[in-house]
Amino acid sequence: MTVIIAFLANVLVAIAKTIAALVTSSASMVAEAAHSWADAGNEVFLLLADRRSAHPKDARHPLGYGRRAFVWSLVAAFGIFTAGAIVSVMHGIQELGADEPVENPQLAYLILGISFVLEGASFVQAFRRSRRLARERRASTWDFVLGTSDTTLRAVFFEDAAALIGLSIAAASIGLHQLTGVAVWDAVGSILVGLLLAVVAIVLIGRNMAFLVGTTVTREEWRRVGAALLELPEVERVTYLHVEYVGPNRLFLVAEVDLAGDGREHEVAWRLREIERGIETHEVIEKVVLSLSVADEAALEFGHRAAS
């Protein structure tokens, strides 16, 4: 729903900005129009990311299709860079020598104001959701958005935040052009919007590449998983634990455990498989692989027990 709202807002805003850019001949408005069309196109990639990554795991993909979300989100981030950042910077550079006045600036301000309201509504929804999830994980909103495996939420959050900043830059640039009569301010506004989009694109590209290469959970989340394992009545010790993201909010868990009792080999193998199946019923667990600990291996300490 977050992506759909952002997509509808961006399409409406892009149409309005395009009309304003044609009427006003403002370089900043051209940059903002390119910005919104790039965002609207990127929302399509994000919707594809959600759909393609939701396919259940099969024999060829035992860890599921979750990493597809990171691939499509990476494509969307490149779209911000090429269709938004490069176009805005290049157009601004081309307009540095222009001296035409901004025509009908009142229309530009009106469109920018309406766009700010629409983009603001989308951002507020993304921010509220991010803040709620951050509180559940006992993290700051900023740290959560940067570190979350929910690449769609992060993309919408950053795109909407950049949109609000870009709108402010465009309004200030047109205002300075009006006040001073110097057209270079309008061109500078276009360049600044482009540089802003480049920064956002680089951040999103970096985060998606990190998850594609392989990213483990935070230390606190690792402790929670370990404590949850120890809460199982069959598990006495955990000597190795690896938890990695294989998709948005999807985890691959590998652990070495010491089971209670001293059963025969086939009994132990059956118990391990039953424990794996039980853990895999959790909504965020994609796959679990458990093996037995060696007797002389040290037990891991997780700091606290899982909440009952």
Side-chain angles (χ1 to χ4, degrees), residues 204-243:
L204 295 178
I205 289 170
R207 295 308 299 149
N208 284 298
M209 288 182 66
F211 279 102
L212 279 172
V213 172
T215 296
T216 58
V217 298
T218 65
R219 191 67 178 176
E220 177 60 26
E221 291 168 330
W222 180 84
R223 290 193 184 100
R224 291 182 188 177
V225 173
L229 283 175
L230 290 177
E231 286 293 323
L232 298 174
E234 301 93 339
V235 177
E236 286 192 343
R237 296 189 310 144
V238 178
T239 59
Y240 175 81
L241 178 61
H242 174 80
V243 188

Side-chain angles (χ1 to χ4, degrees), residues 30 34 81-92 190:
V30 171
F81 188 80
T82 55
I86 294 178
V87 169
S88 298
V89 171
M90 292 302 297
H91 183 71
S190 179

Side-chain angles (χ1 to χ4, degrees), residues 8-298:
L8 293 175
N10 280 319
V11 169
L12 292 174
V13 168
I15 294 172
K17 287 179 181 177
T18 301
I19 295 172
L22 293 172
V23 173
T24 63
S25 301
S26 167
S28 295
M29 287 304 302
V30 171
E32 278 299 306
H35 179 178
S36 292
W37 282 118
D39 283 352
N42 291 339
E43 306 304 338
V44 175
F45 288 119
L46 294 177
L47 288 170
L48 283 173
D50 285 343
R51 290 181 178 274
R52 295 292 178 88
S53 65
H55 292 301
K57 59 187 177 183
D58 52 36
R60 295 189 62 187
H61 297 84
L63 297 182
Y65 291 81
R67 285 196 173 99
R68 282 183 172 180
F70 305 137
V71 173
W72 284 105
S73 297
L74 183 64
V75 173
F78 274 112
I80 295 175
F81 188 80
T82 55
I86 294 178
V87 169
S88 298
V89 171
M90 292 302 297
H91 183 71
I93 292 173
Q94 292 172 355
E95 294 295 317
L96 282 174
D99 56 1
E100 293 87 356
V102 175
E103 300 177 10
N104 199 353
Q106 292 78 15
L107 176 62
Y109 294 134
L110 176 62
I111 296 300
L112 291 173
I114 295 173
S115 300
F116 197 92
V117 172
L118 293 174
E119 297 281 9
S122 178
F123 177 74
V124 166
Q125 187 196 35
F127 179 82
R128 286 177 175 173
R129 183 182 175 194
S130 299
R131 184 174 60 181
R132 175 175 56 81
L133 294 173
R135 286 175 176 172
E136 292 176 1
R137 290 160 176 75
R138 301 173 185 175
S140 69
T141 303
W142 178 254
D143 288 340
F144 169 77
V145 172
L146 280 179
T148 181
S149 63
D150 190 341
T151 184
T152 300
L153 177 60
R154 177 171 47 249
V156 172
F157 184 98
F158 273 96
E159 287 178 10
D160 288 344
L164 294 175
I165 297 172
L167 290 167
S168 300
I169 292 173
S173 300
I174 295 173
L176 287 171
H177 186 176
Q178 267 192 289
L179 290 173
T180 64
V182 179
V184 71
W185 286 113
D186 196 20
V188 168
S190 179
I191 295 172
L192 290 177
V193 169
L195 293 176
L196 171 66
L197 293 178
V199 171
V200 170
I202 290 170
V203 171
L204 295 178
I205 289 170
R207 295 308 299 149
N208 284 298
M209 288 182 66
F211 279 102
L212 279 172
V213 172
T215 296
T216 58
V217 298
T218 65
R219 191 67 178 176
E220 177 60 26
E221 291 168 330
W222 180 84
R223 290 193 184 100
R224 291 182 188 177
V225 173
L229 283 175
L230 290 177
E231 286 293 323
L232 298 174
E234 301 93 339
V235 177
E236 286 192 343
R237 296 189 310 144
V238 178
T239 59
Y240 175 81
L241 178 61
H242 174 80
V243 188
E244 180 179 334
Y245 286 106
V246 292
N249 301 314
R250 303 298 294 172
L251 298 175
F252 174 44
L253 189 157
V254 180
E256 292 180 4
V257 299
D258 188 7
L259 297 182
D262 191 18
R264 290 177 294 181
E265 182 178 350
H266 75 277
E267 293 175 347
V268 172
W270 179 258
R271 289 171 65 192
L272 278 177
R273 189 67 193 104
E274 287 298 306
I275 295 172
E276 289 174 349
R277 287 171 179 165
I279 297 173
E280 286 176 355
T281 60
H282 195 284
E283 60 181 358
V284 303
I285 302 297
E286 189 69 56
K287 180 70 176 177
V288 177
V289 177
L290 299 179
S291 60
L292 293 178
S293 302
V294 177
D296 61 354
E297 288 181 328

